[in-house]
Amino acid sequence: AQTVTQSQPEMSVQEAETVTLSCTYDTSESDYYLFWYKQPPSRQMILVIRQEAYKQQNATENRFSVNFQKAAKSFSLKISDSQLGDAAMYFCAPLHTGANSKLTFGKGITLSVRP
Amino acid sequence: ETGVTQTPRHLVMGMTNKKSLKCEQHLGHNAMYWYKQSAKKPLELMFVYSLEERVENNSVPSRFSPECPNSSHLFLHLHTLQPEDSALYLCASSRQDGLGEQYFGPGTRLTVT
């Protein structure tokens, strides 16, 4: 079974600044994916970034990047040049590969962006 | 074309009503999922369908009945619900069960009165 810990329930960042959202997880699997999803007030769950556990290189998607530490089971999300539209709830979610695996969501972090 | 659509977006129903939620994906995926999102709780996986066969049923009460007539459509039939079933119900799809990212629909906000 997988568990996900997002220990910061709320965070705030000044517009144009950088913020890092933390996530740790526990899994016995060696091959898995890691995702960050964003859920704005519209409630649409949007994929932000993905990371394959076998890749050492950290994933980057425009202003979003991750710091993946496999041994520490840590998967943080860095948002650079924060924009007002980044205000949302962010969920970390690991998924081990193979049939019958489950996408396990953390409790989420509410990010507010100050203008 | 939006990848995953859900209808209705909002639903209010009494405890004795019968209603259905619909999900459609236009991504050519083979796996579809129903999640429940309640306030202050993590997303809960309810059902998983892979190639139109149910592969996961997470101890969901029988008042929730899923149906997957083909790989593009997924329904959640509701009957004799309880007020605690009020939540956001999210549908998602992925290329295959347990492989790669899931793409979500906008959700149906359900209120049981």
Side-chain angles (χ1 to χ4, degrees):
Chain A
Q2 296 171 319
T3 58
V4 181
T5 302
Q6 294 183 257
S7 58
Q8 309 150 307
E10 296 180 356
M11 291 197 72
S12 181
V13 63
Q14 189 74 39
E15 194 177 5
E17 296 295 308
T18 296
V19 64
T20 298
L21 310 182
S22 302
C23 173
T24 58
Y25 59 94
D26 189 20
T27 180
S28 57
E29 303 291 330
S30 59
D31 190 17
Y32 51 92
Y33 300 92
L34 292 158
F35 305 100
W36 277 97
Y37 282 89
K38 165 187 176 182
Q39 189 177 37
S42 68
R43 309 300 296 209
Q44 173 85 52
M45 193 74 76
I46 302 165
L47 177 67
V48 174
I49 199 165
R50 63 177 274 173
Q51 173 82 41
E52 286 93 341
Y54 69 88
K55 290 187 177 178
Q56 292 186 333
Q57 186 173 8
N58 289 322
T60 299
E61 193 72 39
N62 299 317
R63 297 182 296 107
F64 299 88
S65 62
V66 300
N67 184 2
F68 174 47
Q69 303 290 328
K70 190 172 184 179
K73 295 181 182 176
S74 170
F75 183 60
S76 61
L77 175 69
K78 185 172 81 172
I79 306 174
S80 304
D81 185 26
S82 298
Q83 300 176 359
L84 296 178
D86 295 333
M89 198 150 188
Y90 286 81
F91 295 92
C92 170
L95 172 72
H96 72 79
T97 57
N100 301 325
S101 65
K102 299 179 184 179
L103 189 63
T104 304
F105 286 83
K107 291 185 177 180
I109 302 169
T110 300
L111 177 68
S112 58
V113 181
R114 304 185 303 274
Chain B
E1 176 74 82
T2 304
V4 182
T5 58
Q6 289 186 244
T7 55
R9 295 294 307 278
H10 300 273
L11 177 63
V12 179
M13 60 185 288
M15 290 189 286
T16 58
N17 291 158
K18 290 184 181 181
K19 296 287 184 182
S20 295
L21 309 185
K22 178 182 176 181
C23 175
E24 183 174 0
Q25 58 95 1
H26 311 273
L27 301 169
H29 289 168
N30 289 321
M32 297 188 76
Y33 311 81
W34 279 118
Y35 289 88
K36 175 183 178 183
Q37 187 177 29
S38 305
K40 308 296 184 185
K41 293 175 71 174
L43 266 73
E44 301 172 61
L45 178 64
M46 299 175 72
F47 300 104
V48 179
Y49 276 82
S50 178
L51 296 171
E52 302 148 44
E53 289 189 16
R54 191 189 309 179
V55 296
E56 183 83 26
N57 177 358
N58 261 5
S59 302
V60 179
S62 59
R63 57 185 183 269
F64 295 92
S65 175
E67 178 191 0
C68 187
N70 54 63
S71 59
S72 298
H73 293 86
L74 185 64
F75 294 89
L76 188 62
H77 304 299
L78 316 171
H79 63 98
T80 59
L81 294 192
Q82 304 298 312
E84 60 265 29
D85 296 323
S86 298
L88 181 70
Y89 288 85
L90 291 165
C91 173
S93 70
S94 65
R95 280 185 293 135
Q96 294 179 35
D97 175 30
L99 182 65
E101 58 270 26
Q102 294 179 17
Y103 293 89
F104 286 79
T108 295
R109 170 66 65 187
L110 174 67
T111 302
V112 181
T113 59

